[in-house]
Amino acid sequence: MRAAGRSVRARLRDRIAASDPGLLRLTAGLRTVGAIALTLAVLTLLGADVHLLVAGAMAAMVATFAIREKQLGAQAVTLALGLPVALVSVTLGAVLNARLYVGDVFFVVLIFCAVYGRRFGDRGTALGLIGFQIYFLSLFVGAEVSALPTLCGAIAVAFCSSALLRFAVVPATPTGVLLRLRLAFRARLAQLVSAQLDLLDAQPDEMDKALEAVRDGTARLHETAMMIQAQLEEGTPDESAARLVQRRIADAEIAAERLGLLLLTSRSAERADTLTLHLPGAPAPSVGQPAVPDETTATLRRDLQALRALVLRAGSGDSGTGLAHVRNRLLGYRDEENLPPAPAAVQDVFRGIGEAARSVLGLRIALDGPQDESDDTPATARSREELDAEDAAIDGGEEPAEEQETGLRRPTTRAAVQVAVGSALAIVGGELLSTQRWYWAVLTCWIVFLNTASTGEILVKGYRRLLGTVFGVVAGIVLAGLVGQHTWTAFGLVLVLIFAMFYVAPLSYTLMSFFVTAMLGLLYTLLHTYSLDVLLLRVEETALGAACGVIAAALVLPVRTDRRTNELLGTVLDRLAEVTEAAVGQLSGGPADELLDKARDLDQALADLRAATQPLTHPVTPLRARRHTARYVVALLETCAYHARTLAATAELLPTHPSIAADPRLRGAAGRTVRNIGTIAARVADEHAAARVETGPSIASLLGSDAGTPRYGRITDRVLRHLERLDEAVVGLARPLGVPMAEPRA
């Protein structure tokens, strides 16, 4: 019974960790709700009225979500600075509330300063948010000069409550977040192996669904790996340890993705394209059951299940003979003599399982330290020796500083000007709709500019906010009718809605807007200002604010979506060329380079491009051909990034791996690929560029061969395959991007 209970708890823990990596959303929701609840409790004991309770709740929410630093010390400094900023802001709001034009002008200036403050990092962003939101709070509760002492007291209580929850009740240290992210990576890796197991067993009519699950699992695993990379510097004080974890995470991700491709290839009538794992909605290739004996298929299924168990138990402190036996058997597949008799494609799957088991072993050693080696087989001992040698070769490196833009070209300056103009328009239009609640239009205009960089992104965000607001109004009407004048019931529902708002915010902006609007309906009920007209006015002001934001973005220092995506596409291509050239150079016998850092920069650039193309790939986009092209290009780039990451990881093994040695012929063979990447980048930057993409013989034929030597000399087949697939994917980019092809060389 106890074992069963532990098993259920472990499965539940893994599901939560996988759905919310690092428990970041859960922590944010609990911390915010706890700060609000504590503020309400203290203010109630002090005899505060409903207006002060609402003001305190809103201030506690602002004080909690505005802080973004990772280190607790930096968070404390920002929170301490935020309190005087909030008190000054609410005071100015109360003083200027009755002075129509002066108050409006100051509000626009405050908005400009708040957005411009982003250039000073997380602290500048937080103080700007606090200043703006607390000024908005003063307008929402109708702050007056005579009530300032009690209102400032409520805000002070809110900040103290936020500090208590942040530093004592629900602390989130970089080390703790990193630990939870590691658990999330393990859980998502296990989920991906489960999806791959379903892919093995899927019937032909189920392949599309099974492939989509593998595709989603691969993307979710990569997302978690990126989150870990972003947290490593703060969460791991030892630089060499951070680089070791980064390396092991990358190895596990590459091994898992490769295993999925090998499984798909084993089920396909022809070679499966890596693009299939990255292009949403791409149909599965024609498939059939592998032509192997039933016992071989059963062994493959058993070993995939064993790999999943190995992943789940790694890092859990669970060890013993059973785990060692499973580990040794899977690692044995790295030796040719241990592979079962089967077609080459199926044997590749067994090899992939062995490499995945090796990556899990490396990850466990990196995270938990040395393991018990008493039950090691020769294959396992060899894997440990390889990992130890690789670990010893890892050292630190410094990243070059990036050149910063200046003047109006600086993103923060441009955004500040745009928001100021849009807010001025929103104030004028909002006051024409309502002289009392015009600030809703300003708030929407402000929000649609947060974390956006192009006109298209602002348009999509405004659409999502309006959609969420419309449905939130309906929910607000229902909740207000159910609650009536029951104050504490309303506050209880407000806390539930706030938690839901923070929990879903990273997943869906529409849902977040829905919960915000439903919560506002309850707040209006508490303030005795609720009516159907007020909620409908909320929709009108939201639509107006979004329109003002789009107009300002389109007319004032505009950044067109095409320009933004082209700039990011050029950055991705540059990073891809850097990783490929550096990896091939090292594989050719050149000097060692910072391949991990270059691969991380490539992944980050690709993530930025993926976010920037959302306006082009959104379902409401009327240009279907453009939407398909954008998805296809991003999927091709993800394919290129996968092969480049694998080449970089392989290149880093050169000093230590006994089966991989430098081959000078690689530099010449891969030169065409690097030149083609540069050609495409030049065409993206200048559509009149005359260069053409080169095509011709395969990479393998370019290597040549010497009499009496193996076909590929001293390089591994895997390196050659990734180079060929990368070359094919780069050439494939030329067609959707309109880059002309050169005539094949004879």
Side-chain angles (χ1 to χ4, degrees):
M1 290 294 291
R2 291 181 179 178
R6 285 196 298 269
S7 176
V8 171
R9 289 195 298 272
R11 288 198 298 269
L12 179 61
R13 180 194 62 194
D14 289 336
R15 288 185 179 181
I16 294 174
S19 64
D20 181 15
L23 302 182
L24 299 179
R25 292 184 283 125
L26 179 64
T27 300
L30 291 176
R31 184 186 294 137
T32 305
V33 168
I36 294 173
L38 181 58
T39 300
L40 292 176
V42 172
L43 292 178
T44 301
L45 292 175
L46 295 176
D49 61 17
V50 172
H51 284 74
L52 285 179
L53 292 177
V54 171
M58 294 180 67
M61 182 172 65
V62 173
T64 305
F65 79 74
I67 310 300
R68 299 185 178 185
E69 286 96 344
K70 297 176 182 177
Q71 296 290 351
L72 292 180
Q75 294 175 13
V77 172
T78 302
L79 195 60
L81 293 174
L83 179 56
V85 169
L87 297 179
V88 171
S89 185
V90 74
T91 301
L92 290 172
V95 171
L96 299 177
N97 190 22
R99 295 170 175 80
L100 181 62
Y101 298 109
V102 176
D104 291 348
V105 171
F106 174 78
F107 201 10
V108 173
V109 172
L110 174 63
I111 289 170
F112 176 88
C113 294
V115 177
Y116 186 77
R118 298 180 200 171
R119 67 168 294 190
F120 301 108
D122 289 338
R123 181 162 297 158
T125 301
L127 295 179
L129 275 171
I130 290 172
F132 172 83
Q133 295 287 358
I134 296 299
Y135 192 90
F136 174 84
L137 181 154
S138 70
L139 299 175
F140 182 79
V141 299
E144 298 178 353
V145 176
S146 60
L148 270 178
T150 54
L151 187 57
C152 289
I155 292 175
V157 169
F159 271 73
C160 292
S161 299
S162 176
L164 182 61
L165 264 293
R166 178 178 294 277
F167 301 120
V169 181
V170 192
T173 62
T175 303
V177 171
L178 181 59
L179 176 60
R180 292 194 292 272
L181 284 173
R182 293 171 182 173
L183 294 175
F185 184 85
R186 183 198 58 158
R188 285 192 167 182
L189 179 57
Q191 288 182 344
L192 177 56
V193 175
S194 296
Q196 292 169 348
L197 184 59
D198 292 339
L199 182 69
L200 173 68
D201 293 331
Q203 298 300 316
D205 60 342
E206 300 172 337
M207 279 297 295
D208 284 334
K209 181 179 179 181
L211 178 58
E212 188 64 32
V214 172
R215 190 180 292 136
D216 289 344
T218 303
R220 284 159 61 86
L221 186 67
H222 181 65
E223 174 194 22
T224 311
M226 291 289 292
M227 294 173 71
I228 290 174
Q229 289 179 359
Q231 196 72 28
L232 274 173
E233 184 176 352
E234 298 289 343
T236 308
D238 185 351
E239 184 178 357
S240 61
R243 291 180 62 79
L244 175 59
V245 172
Q246 180 185 356
R247 169 63 182 274
R248 294 304 167 217
I249 290 291
D251 285 347
E253 181 190 357
I254 291 170
E257 188 167 355
R258 181 170 179 267
L259 179 58
L261 181 63
L262 293 174
L263 272 168
L264 184 61
T265 300
S266 72
R267 294 292 314 274
S268 305
E270 56 187 14
R271 190 193 79 180
D273 195 333
T274 316
L275 178 65
T276 308
L277 287 181
H278 298 110
L279 182 60
S286 57
V287 299
Q289 290 292 344
V292 295
D294 291 341
E295 57 268 22
T296 302
T297 303
T299 300
L300 189 57
R301 185 180 300 109
R302 179 202 65 181
D303 289 335
L304 283 171
Q305 293 171 341
L307 177 62
R308 179 177 58 191
L310 189 66
V311 171
L312 287 173
R313 295 169 70 180
S316 64
D318 188 5
S319 60
T321 304
L323 182 63
H325 176 72
V326 168
R327 180 194 63 214
N328 293 338
R329 186 180 77 246
L330 300 186
L331 287 173
Y333 290 136
R334 301 184 67 224
D335 295 328
E336 295 294 322
E337 60 269 17
N338 294 327
L339 294 174
V346 177
Q347 285 191 330
D348 281 343
V349 177
F350 282 105
R351 290 190 188 95
I353 292 175
E355 292 299 328
R358 178 189 185 275
S359 71
V360 173
L361 175 63
L363 189 60
R364 182 170 189 178
I365 293 173
L367 299 181
D368 301 330
Q371 309 293 312
D372 182 12
E373 303 177 11
S374 59
D375 295 322
D376 282 359
T377 61
T380 303
R382 179 169 60 85
S383 295
R384 288 191 190 275
E385 291 172 0
E386 292 172 359
L387 292 168
D388 290 341
E390 293 167 18
D391 296 349
I394 294 177
D395 56 9
E398 295 183 0
E399 299 181 9
E402 296 185 0
E403 183 179 353
Q404 298 292 331
E405 295 180 329
T406 59
L408 291 177
R409 295 177 59 192
R410 190 192 301 271
T412 50
T413 305
R414 180 174 60 244
V417 173
Q418 290 176 323
V419 177
V421 173
S423 298
L425 295 175
I427 288 173
V428 174
E431 289 186 343
L432 291 177
L433 287 176
S434 171
T435 57
Q436 293 182 324
R437 296 184 175 85
W438 52 270
Y439 42 79
W440 286 121
V442 181
L443 179 67
T444 299
C445 181
W446 156 279
I447 287 177
V448 297
F449 275 95
L450 293 178
N451 300 319
T452 54
S454 70
T455 306
E457 292 178 64
I458 292 171
L459 180 61
V460 170
K461 192 170 185 180
Y463 160 79
R464 289 172 174 167
R465 183 168 183 82
L466 181 59
L467 186 65
T469 299
V470 170
F471 286 105
V473 164
V474 176
I477 293 171
V478 174
L479 291 176
L482 293 175
V483 170
Q485 300 301 316
H486 297 85
T487 300
W488 291 110
T489 302
F491 270 123
L493 285 175
V494 165
L495 293 178
V496 172
L497 292 172
I498 289 176
F499 176 83
M501 175 182 71
F502 278 90
Y503 195 78
V504 305
L507 303 178
S508 171
Y509 186 71
T510 301
L511 276 177
M512 188 196 77
S513 300
F514 166 81
F515 289 121
V516 168
T517 304
M519 175 195 68
L520 289 173
L522 292 174
L523 291 181
Y524 278 130
T525 301
L526 291 169
L527 294 173
H528 307 294
T529 56
Y530 167 80
S531 69
L532 179 59
D533 292 338
V534 168
L535 291 182
L536 293 179
L537 178 63
R538 159 85 172 152
V539 175
E540 295 173 353
E541 297 279 4
T542 298
L544 175 64
C548 291
V550 172
I551 292 172
L555 300 180
V556 181
L557 305 174
V559 177
R560 308 295 183 192
T561 302
D562 287 344
R563 173 187 159 193
R564 169 72 174 166
T565 53
N566 282 345
E567 289 176 350
L568 293 175
L569 176 57
T571 301
V572 172
L573 292 171
D574 290 342
R575 299 289 182 268
L576 178 62
E578 290 174 3
V579 174
T580 303
E581 191 167 23
V584 170
Q586 196 162 319
L587 287 166
S588 303
D593 205 338
E594 298 296 337
L595 295 177
L596 284 178
D597 292 337
K598 291 182 184 297
R600 181 180 61 184
D601 292 342
L602 170 61
D603 286 337
Q604 186 56 58
L606 187 54
D608 293 340
L609 176 64
R610 193 182 303 111
T613 57
Q614 286 186 2
L616 304 178
T617 59
H618 195 274
V620 301
T621 301
L623 304 175
R624 293 182 177 272
R626 193 181 182 192
R627 180 173 62 193
H628 293 322
T629 298
R631 287 178 175 173
Y632 184 66
V633 168
V634 171
L636 273 174
L637 288 170
E638 289 176 340
T639 298
C640 292
Y642 162 67
H643 293 300
R645 281 196 304 270
T646 307
L647 287 173
T650 305
E652 287 216 332
L653 301 179
L654 272 178
T656 57
H657 205 290
S659 63
I660 301 177
D663 191 326
R665 296 175 298 172
L666 276 175
R667 189 185 300 277
R672 183 181 69 194
T673 304
V674 176
R675 289 194 300 273
N676 282 342
I677 296 173
T679 297
I680 296 173
R683 182 62 179 241
V684 169
D686 179 9
E687 62 181 8
H688 301 295
R692 294 173 177 268
V693 167
E694 302 175 28
T695 58
S698 68
I699 296 293
S701 65
L702 292 176
L703 287 177
S705 62
D706 300 326
T709 62
R711 179 185 177 192
Y712 300 138
R714 292 174 293 169
I715 68 167
T716 62
D717 288 347
R718 185 187 307 177
V719 170
L720 183 61
R721 284 198 299 269
H722 285 293
L723 279 173
E724 289 180 329
R725 304 287 174 84
L726 177 60
D727 185 66
E728 293 169 0
V730 169
V731 173
L733 277 170
R735 182 181 59 80
L737 294 177
V739 185
M741 297 280 189
E743 292 294 329
R745 295 181 180 180

